[in-house]
Amino acid sequence: MPLVLVAVMVVMYTAGVYLLLDRSLTRIMLGFLLVGNATNLLIFLMSGEFGASPIAGGDDDISDPLPQAFILTAIVITFGVSAFLLALIYRSWRLARVSDDHVEDDEDDLAIGSAETLTAEQVTDEDLEDAPEFEEDVPEDETEGVRK
């Protein structure tokens, strides 16, 4: 196993995980691509020595075709997830219309995370039956009180 390829794989994993931990969607996608390519390199390095092709049918040592199938599968999965991440990045850019694709914190999640204790009110079946499921189910005079 060539030591240079092992070092390249380690650097790719390190850089990929570093980019995955960032809050920018573009860097997350680049980190995912690096981790995917490092995984392909890992599978390639673990496949062992090259030999004769399995189709030729010689008695010599033949190459195992399974790692090649794993690499092709990993390439397809990486391509699909990358296309999905590109669609997310494009959609967030279209909605925000800003040059920064930074993921914002949700204020409700921060409030829950900083709460010392979580409380929940006791909700009975009668309360659920009385509560309207949709806003259209609320009569007009009660709608104004609900919105305020």
Side-chain angles (χ1 to χ4, degrees):
M1 180 180 310
L3 191 59
V4 173
L5 288 178
V6 172
V8 167
M9 180 191 64
V10 168
V11 168
M12 287 174 69
Y13 268 123
T14 306
V17 169
Y18 175 76
L19 289 173
L20 279 172
L21 295 175
D22 202 348
R23 299 293 297 258
S24 171
L25 290 175
T26 306
R27 290 186 180 188
I28 289 172
M29 187 193 72
L30 291 175
F32 180 77
L33 288 173
L34 278 175
V35 168
N37 287 328
T39 303
N40 292 340
L41 190 57
L42 172 68
I43 296 170
F44 175 73
L45 290 175
M46 297 305 295
S47 66
E49 296 289 325
F50 295 118
S53 67
I55 296 175
D59 290 336
D60 299 336
D61 290 336
I62 60 172
S63 293
D64 187 13
L66 193 58
Q68 297 171 12
F70 284 156
I71 290 174
L72 286 174
T73 304
I75 289 171
V76 170
I77 291 170
T78 303
F79 178 75
V81 173
S82 299
F84 177 69
L85 285 172
L86 276 174
L88 283 179
I89 292 168
Y90 178 72
R91 181 69 177 160
S92 68
W93 176 79
R94 292 279 294 187
L95 289 176
R97 291 287 185 179
V98 293
S99 61
D100 186 24
D101 63 349
H102 186 76
V103 177
E104 299 295 328
D105 291 329
D106 187 21
E107 293 180 16
D108 294 332
D109 288 341
L110 291 176
I112 290 173
S114 63
E116 292 183 21
T117 60
L118 296 176
T119 59
E121 297 177 12
Q122 183 69 25
V123 178
T124 62
D125 290 335
E126 292 82 24
D127 293 336
L128 291 176
E129 289 175 2
D130 294 338
E133 189 169 347
F134 299 104
E135 191 173 310
E136 293 86 28
D137 297 339
V138 178
E140 289 296 324
D141 56 341
E142 292 180 17
T143 306
E144 295 174 8
V146 170
R147 290 184 184 168
K148 291 181 182 178

